[in-house]
Amino acid sequence: MLKLLKMADLDLKGKRVLIREDFNVPLKDGKVTSDARIIAALPSIRLALEKGARLMLMSHLGRPTEGHFEAKDSLKPIVDELKLHFDVPVRLVANYLDGVDIGENEIVVFENVRCNKGEKANNDSLAQKMAALCDIYVNDAFGTAHRAQASTHGVAKYAKTACAGPLLVNELEALTRALNHPRKPLVAIVGGSKVSTKLTVLETLSDKVDQLIVGGGIANTFMLATGLQIGKSLVEKDLVDAAKKLLQKVTQNGAEIPLPIDVVTGKAFSESTPAETKAAMQVLDDDMIFDIGPKTAEKFAKIIAKAGTIIWNGPVGVFEFEPFSKGTETVSRAIADSNAFSIAGGGDTLAAVDKYAIKNKISYISTGGGAFLEFVEGKTLPAVEILEQKAQI
Ligand code: 3PG
Ligand code: MG
């Protein structure tokens, strides 16, 4: 399906192999707080070691100032995690652009690639230096595939051989399967605070889905578009027309955007604000909607139970606050219980997956946030495109 050279098909014995990872993980007090991206990268790293590669890994972490390395930018917490998973030495190297000596049976990790001047601008000479470090460049960083930067794009252009790692291949195959060949009905759940950040995703999905469940602040904008009162809830008034158009289009396609029939409200954005469950038609002027109500959650759960394919991005309420977590919990459990091919992606979504411990019940969990959304939007991911171009040479 994909016209990419794959790392799994290449002979790596004794070769200098440079893998671009997405180790951009959340940290607190110098420790990794969610290791999902690291765990997802392990099989590819193991495979490269088994194939006898002289292995180098590189990644960005956060958005540091280029040319200015600070302790907080270091990949040391990630190296500490990696050490827990490998018997071979894992070595963090700060100055690598002029070459690194490396043997088999060790892992060298380069310091934060975004501390290099020219990384974000996809600078040619930086990319050439990276390419010169290896015989084979592997991109396994799906989460960063929407960025055209020196370590994701330029390096692939100049590398002798550039290929896709197993994680990247899995991500692309799972997403393609869900979007292009879905078992019907296709149900998408798009939550989160703003329509604006997800408008293109909603538009793309509106042509494919049978049911488009919107949640969070996004649902408020749609409720307003149908004439419901939403009080002081988070909303984007300038996108009400866009929401109306989407509602029309989806209906014309014979599909549906089911809106909340009941909601849970509070008077202030706080965990301790008294929570009230009420009909969607009874929202007061000083109410803020923070979750879908139990009837709506049940209605959504029934839709999810009948799905053949589920694409999930974003919670349906402020699930970090206990009184407003039930909607997201019910939806999460419905996705977990369904027999559909289910895909989940995005930071908040993965936090919900963790909170309700349903990781093993989702068919595919994407490591991508922005990249996941851009793929669903139908955009070309530059880091994938360059690999396709290289495969044709
Ligand atoms: C992400 O976490 O979204 C990716 O690692 C990309 O990071 P970025 O948004 O800082 O480019
Ligand atoms: Mg991002």
Side-chain angles (χ1 to χ4, degrees):
M1 170 188 66
L2 292 161
K3 291 189 193 66
L4 295 172
L5 203 56
K6 295 180 186 166
M7 184 192 98
D9 297 335
L10 300 182
D11 175 14
L12 307 183
K13 181 70 189 157
K15 303 261 173 65
R16 295 172 306 152
V17 175
L18 173 57
I19 308 186
R20 174 48 157 110
E21 304 284 2
D22 188 337
F23 288 149
N24 187 32
V25 293
L27 298 178
K28 199 174 178 215
D29 303 325
K31 291 238 165 12
V32 174
T33 54
S34 166
D35 63 357
R37 281 181 166 172
I38 298 174
I39 300 290
L42 295 178
S44 306
I45 301 172
R46 284 206 189 98
L47 180 65
L49 284 175
E50 277 160 27
K51 283 170 163 272
R54 289 153 63 204
L55 192 55
M56 297 162 274
L57 310 180
M58 66 174 168
S59 175
H60 74 287
L61 178 64
R63 295 178 177 173
T65 314
E66 291 188 1
H68 181 82
F69 177 80
E70 286 180 53
K72 67 164 178 51
D73 306 325
S74 176
L75 262 68
K76 179 168 183 306
I78 288 127
V79 168
D80 291 342
E81 285 289 317
L82 286 171
K83 283 181 177 161
L84 304 175
H85 297 280
F86 292 97
D87 296 331
V88 301
V90 186
R91 184 153 63 94
L92 182 63
V93 175
N95 299 312
Y96 50 88
L97 287 175
D98 294 318
V100 184
D101 282 328
I102 160 153
E104 286 180 31
N105 293 313
E106 68 164 333
I107 300 171
V108 163
V109 180
F110 296 164
E111 262 301 4
N112 197 337
V113 287
R114 279 201 187 152
C115 292
N116 292 318
K117 274 200 176 143
E119 167 65 13
K120 272 179 278 178
N122 199 7
N123 174 278
D124 273 325
S125 63
L126 176 61
Q128 280 158 353
K129 280 194 163 187
M130 287 175 175
L133 297 171
C134 63
D135 303 306
I136 298 173
Y137 166 78
V138 181
N139 193 330
D140 213 23
F142 174 73
T144 325
H146 58 318
R147 306 282 181 228
Q149 301 181 343
S151 68
T152 62
H153 186 275
V155 59
K157 188 163 74 182
Y158 294 113
K160 274 179 264 178
T161 302
C163 66
L167 175 63
L168 180 62
V169 172
N170 285 345
E171 294 266 11
L172 296 171
E173 284 180 348
L175 280 168
T176 306
R177 177 176 161 192
L179 282 168
N180 298 358
H181 318 282
R183 183 148 54 88
K184 299 289 235 167
L186 172 59
V187 176
I189 300 124
V190 180
S193 49
K194 290 181 176 166
V195 173
S196 49
T197 51
K198 295 190 180 166
L199 188 58
T200 332
V201 166
L202 292 168
E203 273 165 357
T204 311
L205 287 172
S206 67
D207 285 326
K208 299 180 187 261
V209 292
D210 299 291
Q211 308 269 356
L212 179 54
I213 293 175
V214 289
I218 295 176
N220 300 339
T221 306
F222 279 88
M223 286 171 75
L224 198 57
T226 62
L228 283 163
Q229 298 306 309
I230 55 162
K232 288 199 311 185
S233 306
L234 179 74
V235 70
E236 287 162 291
K237 292 219 168 81
D238 51 331
L239 288 173
V240 167
D241 276 341
K244 278 186 190 157
K245 286 201 187 102
L246 276 167
L247 284 161
Q248 268 170 13
K249 186 164 121 193
V250 166
T251 317
Q252 274 161 16
N253 291 348
E256 206 197 345
I257 301 184
L259 292 179
I261 43 181
D262 59 348
V263 292
V264 187
T265 63
K267 301 287 185 201
F269 187 78
S270 144
E271 179 142 33
S272 55
T273 187
E276 279 185 84
T277 299
K278 55 181 77 179
M281 274 161 21
Q282 278 161 3
V283 175
L284 302 177
D285 285 351
D286 61 346
D287 278 341
M288 297 167 99
I289 303 170
F290 291 135
D291 196 10
I292 53 174
K295 289 189 188 132
T296 307
E298 273 319 307
K299 178 175 152 183
F300 289 176
K302 281 196 186 119
I303 293 172
I304 290 165
K306 290 191 198 125
T309 306
I310 298 167
I311 298 175
W312 177 27
N313 175 270
V316 296
V318 187
F319 75 104
E320 310 87 292
F321 294 166
E322 226 31 63
F324 307 108
S325 64
K326 294 287 172 295
T328 301
E329 178 169 4
T330 303
V331 165
S332 303
R333 297 205 188 284
I335 296 169
D337 290 342
S338 108
N339 294 321
F341 178 70
S342 54
I343 285 205
D348 288 342
T349 315
L350 299 201
V353 167
D354 276 348
K355 181 163 179 189
Y356 303 117
I358 52 171
K359 188 173 168 198
N360 297 333
K361 294 183 163 178
I362 309 278
S363 315
Y364 192 81
I365 297 194
S366 177
T367 55
F372 177 87
L373 288 177
E374 291 201 15
F375 189 96
V376 177
E377 282 169 22
K379 285 193 186 145
T380 307
L381 302 177
V384 176
E385 189 179 37
I386 186 71
L387 296 181
E388 286 172 338
Q389 286 166 3
K390 288 284 281 202
Q392 277 158 27
I393 296 171

